[in-house]
Each structure stands twice: as C-alpha cells, then as structure tokens.
C-alpha cells in the first residue's frame, strides 16, 4: 500500500501525530476504516493510537445511557473504546481499540449507537435517567408482570454491548494446546522480564506471556527512565534476546493469561494472527493454551484510577499515564490545551511530556503542600500549578471543551471559592495506581489494604505463586525490577532449580512519591446527584450517586452493591473502577475501606472468544459419530438415519417416494408376513468372564442366573439400588465361567461403568473380568415366518429344528464358511435369529442374507419399524417407558423379580412401603376410540376432560404408533393406578382444544399368547 | 481444575476422572432388617461438608480404577489418596472418617452379616 490512500488522505491528516518519537514506523503508513471513513496510521499503532493521531476521541456510546465516550486508557483496562472489528462473518464485537493492532485495511465500527455515533437516539436514556438508577433491572422486574415483556424488549435493545456477527458461523480456525512448565510468568513488564531471566537462567522450563505485541510493559511509554544506561526499549530488547536464546523458555507475546484455576491450572489466549491484515492460512487465528505450571509469577502491573468528578466521562478526559504513553510510545499528542488533574506526583511526568510535545499545560492538584523533584521540574518548565484545587466540572458536548476549577478542602468535599473557567481539549487525570490483582484473586490469594498507596495489594497466596512488580504494589521501576528478580529466583527454587540471587540492573528515573491523596469523589458545589454525572465505572455506567443510592436503599455488603449497581462486573472486572467504587461505598457507609473489603475478581481477565475455547471441536469434530459395518449398504439403499447416542442407525428405508409412515408400514408388515432384517450391531455387548461371573450376574439382575445352562440365553432387568429400572438385555452363558451380555444401545457405556463400580468398590472379592466387545461384533437380526428358510438358503451349517435349536438358545455355526454366533431371541415376537459375526464381516453377512432372502421376501427394516414391532408385543424400551422412577412392578414385570434370592441390587428398596402405593404410575395399553387416530407421544391423560385447569394428571403416553398388523393405532402409557383403570376410559386433551378418548387395555396388541415365536 | 494423582497412572488432569461422591457408605445386606428410615440413610442421604471430605473417584479416561480421596472442599487441597477398601491414614482424613455420623447408623451396622463379622470395603 502506498503512502497515500485512495481517498487522497496524506500524512498531514494525522494532525495529532508528533513529528518524531515513539515506536511507530513512519515509513510504513497503514490505511484503515472507522465508521465508514478512511484514515491513516502507522505500523506499530493500535487502533486507539491511530484514532487519536487523527484527533478522534469520540469512539463509542456507553452501555446504559448511550453517552458519548472516548479512549481513556492505553491497554486492556480500557473501559470505553469497545469496537467491532472486521466484516460479515469475521466481525468480532467488544474489542478494546487500545489492544487492536493496526494493519492495512483494518475495518472497525463503533458500537451502541443508532443511527450514528454523533447522533444517537439511545442517548434519550440519558434524559430518562430516572428510569435507569442503580438496580434498574431488578426494579423493572417489579413492575406489573404483564408489562415486563414490553419493557424487556426496549431495554434489551437500548442496553448492552456490541453485536455478534449474525447468521454466520465463524469462518476462522482456532486451536487449543496443552503445556506444562516449571514457572509461568504472567506479564512481561520489567518485573516479569526479570523474573523470566532469573527462572530461565536456572534452567527451569519457563513460559512468559504478555498481552501486548511487545514485551516491556509501562516502561515502553517512559522517556525519563534509563536501565543500565539504556533506554527502556533497548534494555528490553537485550533481555528478550537473552530469553529467546534459552531453549527451555517460551515467549508468548499477544497472549493474555485470562484464568487462574485450582492447582496452578492456567488458561491463556494467544492472538496468533489477529494483528495481520493478510492472515497466513496455515496458522490459527487464536490459540488457547491450557498450562499446568509448577510455580507462577504474577507480574500483571497496575492500573491508573480515574478521578471521580462531574463530567469525567467526556471524550478527551483520559488517564494521565495513558496520555504519556501515547506521546512517548506512539508519537501521538492527544490534545493541545491540556489540564492535568491529579492527587499524586506521577501526573507531573505527564505534564512534562505534554509540555515537551508542545502542548499548553495547567496542573490542578488536590494536594496543598507540594514538594519534590517532579513538582520543581514542572514549575521550572514554566507550567502553572494550582494546588489545593479541583476540576469540579468538565463540560463539552462530544469532547471536553472547558473546565471549572475551584479551590477545595482536603477531601474535595467542599468548594472554598468561586471557580475559574478554562478552555481545554484534553484532561489528563490521575487518581493513583491500583495493582492488577485479578489473577492473584482468581487463585484465591488474599489482599491487604495499603494505607500509604491507597490500594489493595497481595498479601498471602493460595496456590504455588509469587507476586512481583506494580501488581504487587511495588510501583517504582528500580524496586519493581528487584522485586521481579526475587520472585523469579524464589519461583525457580520452589520448582527445584538452583540459581544465585544476582544483582538488579541500575535504574535511573525521577524521584517521586507514590502516595496519592484520598479524595474519592470531587464535589461540584451542588447538591448530591445534581449537576453533570460523575462516573465510577465507565463500562457499566455506574455513577458515584448510584453507589450512594444503593447504600440509602439498604445495601451494605460490597458483593450486594456490586450486583445491585453492576459496579465492577462484566468484561471490565473493575480494572479502573474497583477502588474508587469501594472508597465511595465505604464513605457512604461511614466505614473504612479495608472493613468494606473487596469483591471477588472473576475470570476471564479480559474476554476470550468462544472460538479459541472451542478450538477444533466444532462441526464434524464436535462429537464422534459411530457407524456400523453395514453403514455403506444402508446409505446405498436409501436409508434415512437417526442418532442413537453417538451411533447413526438406519431409521427406515423409503422406496419410490414413500413417506415415513408408508415405509414403516411396509417394513412392519414384511417382518410378520415374510421376513425383516435389522442391523442390530449397535447393541451394547459386554464379555464377562471369571469364576464368580454367574454369582455377579445373580446380584446384578433381579432374576436367577446361577443355574442357567451353557448355550442358554436369559432376559434380565437391571435396577439401581433404589429399585428403579436402569437397563435391560439378554445375557447368554457361553461357558461355565463365561457370559455374553447385551445392553441397550444408549446404555452400553453406563452399564459397563456400573458393573465395574460394583466389582471394584463393593464386591472386590468377586473374581470377574469385564470387556466391552460392542465393536467386536456385527449383528444382523433376521425376523419373521421365513427367517428359518432364509438362514437355510444362506447355508447355515446347523439344524434349525426347534428341538435342536430352541427359543432362548445360542448356537455357534457357520454361514458361507464364516463363523457366527446365532442367538434365538426375539424383540418382535416372531421367529428370530440374532446373527453375530466378527465385526469386519458384517457387510458380507448382510449382503449374503439379502441375496439368500430375496426369494423369501426379505425386507430390511430400521429402528422405527423395530419400535412398532416391539410395541405391538408390549415390550418396553428402557428410557422410553421408564424414566428412572419406574420399578419392575410398575411395568407389570413382577415375573422377572426373584422372590427367593437373598439379595440383588435394588431388592431392599423394592420392599419400601412407598413402592406398594396404589397411585404409582403403571404401564398400560391405550386403545383409541377413533381406531386410526395416533396419540402424540408425551400426551397426558386425565379422567375428566371438563375439569377446570389445572387438571389432575394421570400420567403420560410413552409409546404410540400406527400398527398395520393390528390395523389401528397402538399406545403404551404410564398412568397412576393404571392397572385398576383397566377397561375404563381416559381422555387426552390436545393443545388445539380437541380431546382424544381411549380405553385402558393390557399393553399387548398382537399375538398375546406368543404363538408365532417358532415361525 | 484439580491435578489428581491416580495411584496407578500418576498425576493427571481432573477432566480424566469422574467423581463418585461420598466414600465409606457401607451397603446394608438385604438379609438384615432395617426400617425404611434406617435404609434411607444409605440410599438417599449424602454429606456435603465444608472442609475435609472423603470421596470416591475413578480414573474414567485412564486406567478406570476406583480409589478414595480425602479432599478439602474449601481449599481443594488433596490431602490423601488411598485404595478402595481402606480407611484414610492422614490425621485429617482419619478424623473425618471417625467423626462421620454414619459410624453410628443401623445402615452401616447392617452391612455385615448378622452372625459373623467381616470387614467392609470402602465403597
Ligand atoms: Zn489411572
């Protein structure tokens, strides 16, 4: 891209850019778009610094009142300048402009404005502010409930942060990675760098992460400091070079440590290509790191606090340190007529930086007795200093235009004299520093109040962790470097590495006091709540008055005030607002700040996109899909599929445009007139071996297993120890100490876990060994009057005579030369063979049977027909008829419950008095009066359809189908006292007001005597 | 996320494990008569203490073996990991086991055959 854009803009458009200085590359201009207009910045800019270079302060509207807001900070603590970057599906909202690195072609939009940033209808919220006081969400809920729907719509549109990309899947690629290290260091300022050097020199495996594009932190924004005689940038470059040469050190710039969890489990988001206009396809956009660290060093730095005064949220009101960074690091001078408003020494460095950059400067200091090197230097530069004074009101429309300055008392609670008025276009404010203790606090470290620095700082840690630098309340650069060294040394030693103490580099910086004056809310000379608002929390639009109102309404706990006012919540997590809010709360309560305490900092430190959290686990990779070996055949033959757990099962096989109902009717009829073939490979299969296998089954199932003959099959019902049905299936004795169990498709893994739990925890004396063999076998179930003929035609090498191969037996045999296990069991009530073959031969068996069965009318059927066929016979499906609150007796299956076994899982629970209650839900059949009408599954039954609502519910329909074999609908239901209702009538009211009438019948609709089982 | 030392596999992420809830709930034998209320102590009542808790874990995505853990539910400190069938050896674990209200219940007594005594497994 050339130095001038398509719109003919040139370098001269960067009206606030200094001629020289800063870490931007003036030889590499970049063009970007903000709210549809094209601008220019430089390589090395953030979106925020580039906007300020173009003298743009107004960048967004606030969350609640839609007030015009500007950039106030320089890093991740920025509460206002949230923008949406990118277009279409790639658009990402709520990015802090201060963290968005500029690239050529960057496209950004402001948020929370309609129709435009400069004219916003939502700003009417500001006029209607009486309706948005502290706790407005909660109060709104108390309005008439009927109106809530209306209000909610309005409020949801008016409030809230940016919008996500609509109707699009995120096209970008993300990754996740796991890592282990001896020492993880969060923050790459001077303290973090020194900690990394020490830990790295010890040979420890080190990860150093910093959220910015380059290491160095705050010092990159200082022009008055040298380290070992070098500029901070040169010193940092040397340290980074040394770290890069260490093989065990991993440097992660553009990486936010956003979560600190138990046992030093740390989560990081690395922005791999976000800063590039053209993103290489081989790289992910972002990468989430999950790190288990032996030790951590938290060197997060500190955040400067705003001063709380009327109009402090106008664009052009910025944090003092940020102003200095924009000048020194980015070569941007954000104003010409400037007021520096402070309660401490540090802002004097900003005054000097502004002065050097050619701006007019006036310092307004809340303190009276001003002394020290910096004050002297400022006065020597000819800068006017007004001590014992305050900016009581800042005014302007979309940018600060003038201020009122008055002498005030010590706490700035009273105005002592008439104000003077002063025009300005920038106000740099400094309310002191707050250590960023977010990670320390997430890790449940304790905080203590520092009376000198007026901030909370870490006291004791909970995890294996050390704090260092400004984040530890050590603000001076020389002390922070020492502190970082000590922390790095201690962490390396704690991780088992040896390292000498070393000596810290020499730092030369202006001497300054780090003690601010306590003046938490600057009066504007009017009554409480009058005059322009004074904001505490910019992002959540919480004012000093809101905090005071919460106290007047009776809130005392800091956690309650936080939730009531939303102070310190959401994505900002109170970075700039926390201490001011607490201090005003303490004052209102008449209490001390340490007694009020602080709220819990939540992760994430800054928001992390869901893309990085999901990584590659999306789309096809979200969850595995399990396919049977016959899947290709099903697809080739037009099957439709349904998900059963992770399995894809053939649902039905429509022919020539058949509907679901037509196809299923055909399949169901064939299974009872000729033969059907079902892919039953998905059934859970567990191989059980060991001398105590029979005893184990005897304890697991409700019926008796000790005397089951070899080669015989038995149906079993498994209960939880509360007596409720959990699974069922057929288990076969293959040998004296060897069984083959089948479970429901969905229950397979849970049943294996269940069996292992009992073996390992309750009955470790039993010698039993379990193996899941679900995938070892393919299963084709041949069912219907022609099943035997087809098996013969397929060449089975055993006698199928019922005398030789009776119902509920298993035979080993061969079909087409391949060994098979054939189980004569039936889920249809027809003559039925479940043919198990080594999984890899599944497709061969299936196609062979289809060929052999062609002349006998063989018809493949899917899970839908299977459901109809079993329901015709009244066979239950666990999880359909049962829901974890159903006993065998409820199902009318008392016959399967042993009366003689001394114990089995669930036995004692079934003896509970409540299990015999008459009004338990019991399984019944339903015969609709209108015989063809199919009741919707889930319909509720009542005795009196004319009863006023709420009606007395009897229970619900669990299975309901049309049965072509019966020639009518069939249904099963679980009804209260259902057995006693037999022969009576129940009613099923529908949503459309109609009522279905049905007779309660036995839950068996076809071949009640079981005469078809032998074909 | 906890870092749990499986007695068979070594330290692994919590996500590989599943928690099986309170440990040392002896299962009453059906042969022993209990009232429904006494039986409910076993079937329904579970502790949820603030502090030391003895619980069962399973290395579900690893060796699939069950074991016991003494864990502080406030600090998440894992004080002790010990095999199924054993009782804790640490001072805090021992105290938690001895002080449990279960030790005096009819349900626990009914875990042993009525005539002869046998040691209970830690299930
Ligand atoms: Zn293991």
């Amino acid at each position: 891209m050339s130095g001038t854009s398509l719109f003919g803009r040139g370098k001269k458009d960067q009206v606030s850019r200094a001629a020289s200085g800063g870490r931007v590359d003036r030889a590499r201009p970049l063009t970007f778009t903000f709210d549809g207009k094209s601008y220019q910045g430089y390589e090395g800019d953030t979106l925020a610094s580039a906007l300020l270079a173009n003298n743009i302060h107004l960048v967004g509207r606030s969350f609640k009142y839609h007030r015009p807001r500007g950039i106030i900070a320089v890093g991740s603590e920025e509460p206002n300048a949230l923008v949406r970057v990118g277009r279409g599906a790639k658009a990402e909202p709520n990015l802090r402009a201060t963290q968005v690195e500029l690239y050529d072609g960057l496209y950004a939009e402001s948020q929370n404005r309609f129709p435009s940033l400069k004219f916003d209808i939502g700003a009417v919220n500001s006029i209607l502010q009486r309706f948005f006081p502290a706790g407005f969400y909660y109060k709104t809920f108390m309005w008439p409930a009927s109106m809530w729907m209306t209000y909610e719509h309005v409020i949801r549109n008016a409030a809230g942060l940016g919008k996500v990309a609509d109707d699009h899947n995120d096209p970008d690629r993300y990754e996740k990675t796991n890592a282990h290290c001896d020492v993880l260091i969060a923050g790459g300022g001077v303290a973090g760098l020194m900690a990394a050097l020490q830990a790295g020199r010890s040979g420890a495996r080190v990860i150093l992460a910093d959220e910015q594009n380059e290491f160095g932190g705050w010092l990159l924004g200082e022009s008055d400091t040298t380290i070992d005689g070098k500029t901070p940038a040169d010193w940092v470059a040397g340290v980074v070079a040394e770290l890069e040469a260490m093989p065990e050190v991993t440097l992660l710039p553009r990486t936010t440590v956003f979560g600190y969890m138990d046992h030093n489990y740390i989560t990081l988001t690395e922005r791999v290509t976000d800063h590039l206009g053209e993103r290489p396809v081989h790289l992910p956009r972002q990468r989430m790191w999950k790190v288990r660290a032996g030790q951590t060093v938290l060197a997060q730095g500190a955040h400067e606090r705003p001063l709380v005064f009327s109009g402090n949220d106008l664009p052009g009101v910025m944090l003092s340190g940020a102003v200095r960074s924009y000048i020194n690091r980015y070569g941007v001078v954000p104003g010409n007529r400037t007021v520096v408003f402070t309660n401490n020494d540090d802002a004097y460095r900003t005054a000097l930086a502004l002065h050097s950059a050619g701006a007019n400067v006036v310092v307004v200091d809340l303190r009276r007795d001003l002394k020290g090197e910096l004050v002297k230097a400022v006065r020597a530069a000819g800068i006017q200093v007004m001590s014992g004074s305050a900016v009581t009101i800042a005014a302007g429309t979309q940018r600060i235009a003038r201020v009122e300055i008055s002498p005030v008392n010590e706490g700035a609670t009273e105005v002592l004299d008439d104000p003077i008025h002063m025009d300005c276009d920038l106000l740099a404010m400094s309310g002191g520093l707050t250590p960023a203790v977010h990670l320390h606090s997430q890790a449940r470290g304790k905080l203590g109040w520092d009376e000198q620095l007026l901030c909370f700082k870490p006291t004791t840690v909970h995890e294996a962790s050390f704090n260092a630098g400004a984040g530890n309340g050590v603000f001076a650069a020389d002390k922070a470097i020492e502190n970082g060294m000590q922390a790095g040394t201690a962490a390396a030693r704690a991780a088992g590495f040896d390292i000498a103490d070393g000596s810290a580099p020499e730092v030369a910086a202006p001497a300054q006091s780090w003690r601010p004056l306590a003046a938490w809310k600057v009066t504007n000379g009017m009554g409480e709540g009058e005059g322009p608002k004074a904001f505490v929390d910019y992002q959540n639009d919480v004012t000093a008055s809101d905090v005071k109102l919460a106290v007047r309404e009776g809130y005392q706990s800091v956690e309650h005030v936080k939730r009531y006012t939303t102070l310190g919540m959401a994505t900002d997590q109170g970075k700039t607002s926390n201490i001011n809010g607490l201090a005003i709360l303490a004052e209102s309560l008449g209490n001390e700040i340490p007694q009020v305490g602080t709220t819990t900092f939540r992760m994430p430190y800054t928001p992390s996109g869901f893309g990085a959290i999901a990584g590659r686990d999306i789309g096809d990779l979200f969850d595995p899909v399990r396919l049977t070996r016959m899947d290709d055949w099903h697809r080739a033959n037009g099957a439709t599929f349904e998900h059963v757990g992770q399995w894809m099962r053939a649902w039905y096989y429509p022919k020539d445009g058949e509907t679901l109902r037509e196809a299923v009717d055909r399949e169901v009829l064939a299974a009872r007139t000729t033969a059907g073939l079902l892919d039953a490979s998905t059934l859970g299969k567990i191989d059980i071996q060991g001398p105590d296998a029979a005893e184990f089954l005897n304890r697991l199932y409700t019926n008796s297993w000790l005397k089951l003959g070899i080669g015989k099959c038995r149906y079993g019902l498994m209960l939880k120890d509360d007596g409720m049905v959990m699974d069922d299936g057929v288990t076969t004795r293959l040998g004296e100490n060897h069984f083959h169990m089948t479970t429901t498709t969905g229950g397979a893994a849970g049943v294996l876990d269940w069996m292992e739990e009992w073996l390992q925890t309750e009955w470790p004396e039993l010698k039993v060994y379990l193996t899941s063999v679900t995938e070892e076998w393919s299963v084709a179930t041949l069912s219907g009057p022609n099943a035997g003929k087809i098996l013969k035609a397929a060449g089975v090498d055993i006698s199928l005579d019922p005398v030789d191969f009776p119902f509920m037996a298993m035979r080993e045999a061969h079909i087409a030369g391949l060994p098979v296990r054939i189980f004569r069991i039936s889920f249809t009530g027809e003559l039925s063979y479940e043919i198990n073959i080594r999984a890899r031969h599944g497709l061969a068996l299936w196609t062979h049977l289809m060929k052999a069965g062609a002349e006998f009318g063989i018809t493949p059927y899917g899970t839908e027909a299977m459901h109809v066929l079993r329901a015709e016979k009244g066979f239950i499906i666990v999880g359909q008829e049962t829901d974890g609150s159903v006993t065998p007796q409820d199902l009318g299956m008392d016959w399967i419950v042993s009366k003689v076994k001394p114990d089995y899982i669930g036995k004692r629970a079934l003896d509970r008095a409540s299990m015999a209650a008459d009004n338990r839900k019991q399984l019944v059949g339903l015969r609709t009066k209108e015989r063809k009408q199919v009741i919707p599954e889930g319909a509720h039954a009542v005795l009196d359809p004319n009863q006023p609502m709420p009606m007395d519910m009897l229970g619900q329909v669990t299975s309901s189908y049309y049965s072509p074999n019966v020639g009518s609908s069939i249904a099963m239901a679980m009804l209260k006292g259902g057995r006693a209702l037999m022969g009576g009538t129940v009613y099923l009211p529908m949503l459309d007001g109609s009522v279905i009438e049905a007779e309660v019948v036995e839950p068996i609709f076809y071949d009640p005597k079981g005469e078809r089982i032998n074909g | 996320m906890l870092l749990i030392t499986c007695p068979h596999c070594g330290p692994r992420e919590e996500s590989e494990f599943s928690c099986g809830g309170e440990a040392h709930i002896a299962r009453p034998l059906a042969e022993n008569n209990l009232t429904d209320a006494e039986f409910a102590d076993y079937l329904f009542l579970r502790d949820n203490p603030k502090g030391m808790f003895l619980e069962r874990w399973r290395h579900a995505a690893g060796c699939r073996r069950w074991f016991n853990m003494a864990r502080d539910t406030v600090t998440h400190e894992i004080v002790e990991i010990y095999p199924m069938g054993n009782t804790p050896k640490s001072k805090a674990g021992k105290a938690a086991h001895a002080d449990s209200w279960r030790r005096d219940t009819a349900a626990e007594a009914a875990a042993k055959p009525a005539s002869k005594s046998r040691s209970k497994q830690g299930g």
Side-chain angles (χ1 to χ4, degrees), chain B residues 6-10 12 16-17 58-65 67:
Chain B
C6 170
H8 308 288
C9 310
R12 294 289 188 277
E16 292 186 16
F17 296 82
R58 182 171 64 107
H59 195 188
C63 63
R64 301 180 66 81
R65 305 304 295 173
F67 53 87

Side-chain angles (χ1 to χ4, degrees), chain A residues 654-718:
Chain A
K655 265 186 182 170
D656 309 325
E658 280 175 331
T659 62
L660 166 68
R661 167 78 172 271
E662 288 163 353
V664 171
D665 281 1
R666 175 178 51 72
E667 291 171 14
V668 165
L669 281 168
R672 297 214 187 279
T673 51
T674 53
L677 189 63
L678 174 77
D679 179 358
S681 306
T682 63
L683 276 184
K685 299 178 260 315
I686 299 169
D687 186 85
I688 304 167
Q689 301 197 38
D692 296 315
E695 170 63 22
F696 180 52
L697 289 174
N698 212 44
R699 297 183 190 184
L700 203 60
Y701 282 127
T702 59
N703 49 352
S704 299
W705 289 80
L706 298 179
K707 297 200 176 97
L708 182 67
I710 293 170
K712 291 284 170 54
C713 315
R714 184 162 288 171
Y715 175 76
L717 209 50
M718 220 178 266

Side-chain angles (χ1 to χ4, degrees), chain B residues 24 68-69 111 121:
Chain B
H24 307 296
N68 288 313
M69 181 193 291
Q121 302 299 332

